[in-house]
Amino acid sequence: MGFALFSTAQFALAARDALQHLVFDAESKSVLHAEMAKKNLFVKRGIVGDSNAYDQSKRLRTGGDCTHSVYSPSPFHPPPPQVWGPPHGYLSPAAPPYDPYGGYHAPPVPMPPSAPIAAPSSYVPVQNVKDNPPCNTLFIGNLGENINEEELRSLLSAQPGFKQMKVLRQERHTVCFIEFEDVNSATNVHHNLQGAVIPSSGSVGMRIQYPF
DNA sequence: AGCACA
């Protein structure tokens, strides 16, 4: 068993899903099991770094939550050296019980529920898709030629964190944009509904990506 | 592969 630390929760989630069920020993058919750690060795507080590492002008879209994820050529940021606890007096009888998380109470991490809210009828595998940095908005394509917008909306608006949906109808391709409250909600839907089949779209599975 | 609104 082992632990791996990533620079952001999104990266950790992505790595977990990428490695999940990986067969690491074909002979013994051993399958890798990956899950999010219950606690972090290092807890980040406050704003997560500066974001001048990449062009912000293109990221000021829907809500602008895309700027919450930091991108740099090397995805691993070594955590800064951390001073634990007050420098003196922490063993005095009057001192409050030592809290290793320094009063930081982690927000409940919205783990994807075992059964998603509005489950689509079926899924179709989606090929290795090139994707963009995680964002609070999703781009959805491959919806089929006569997709019913209401059907689409009822599935997507039922997803936790849903904010708004914009549909872009074109000659042959209809695509849509879904905005969520935060990057995490978007990330969950990104893999919960990847390849989901909406009845009116025929038998094709939707392709979900983060926008350009 | 098709990527808008602010």
Side-chain angles (χ1 to χ4, degrees), chain A residues 7 35 64 72 89 107 111 115 123 127 150 156 163-164 167 171:
Chain A
S7 50
E35 65 180 61
S72 67
M111 294 300 283
Y123 287 89
Q127 313 289 64
E150 285 321 303
L156 290 159
K163 246 191 176 170
Q164 59 170 157
V167 179
E171 282 291 318

Side-chain angles (χ1 to χ4, degrees), chain A residues 19 21-33:
Chain A
L19 299 178
H21 307 322
L22 178 83
V23 179
F24 62 89
D25 186 342
E27 292 197 354
S28 62
K29 294 184 198 118
S30 303
V31 170
L32 190 118
H33 171 80

Side-chain angles (χ1 to χ4, degrees), chain A residues 35-81:
Chain A
E35 65 180 61
M36 298 295 279
K38 304 291 184 281
K39 286 183 178 176
N40 270 346
L41 190 53
F42 301 100
V43 176
K44 266 191 187 135
R45 305 197 52 188
I47 307 302
V48 188
D50 63 35
S51 38
N52 41 13
Y54 82 152
D55 184 67
Q56 275 183 297
S57 63
K58 295 184 178 171
R59 284 281 145 198
L60 299 174
R61 298 163 197 258
T62 329
D65 266 355
C66 310
T67 52
H68 288 344
S69 45
V70 178
Y71 276 81
S72 67
S74 79
F76 182 75
H77 303 284

Side-chain angles (χ1 to χ4, degrees), chain A residues 156-173:
Chain A
L156 290 159
S157 60
Q159 302 303 318
F162 172 89
K163 246 191 176 170
Q164 59 170 157
M165 170 176 128
K166 294 236 151 91
V167 179
L168 196 59
R169 265 193 185 281
Q170 287 163 334
E171 282 291 318
R172 299 202 31 99
H173 302 119

Side-chain angles (χ1 to χ4, degrees), chain A residues 126-127 129 139-143 193-196 205-209:
Chain A
V126 171
Q127 313 289 64
V129 177
F139 170 85
I140 304 189
N142 201 36
L143 287 166
L193 295 186
Q194 186 68 275
M206 55 172 73
R207 167 172 23 258
I208 306 186
Q209 293 166 269

Side-chain angles (χ1 to χ4, degrees), chain A residues 105-121:
Chain A
H105 294 290
V109 179
M111 294 300 283
S114 40
I117 309 297
S121 44

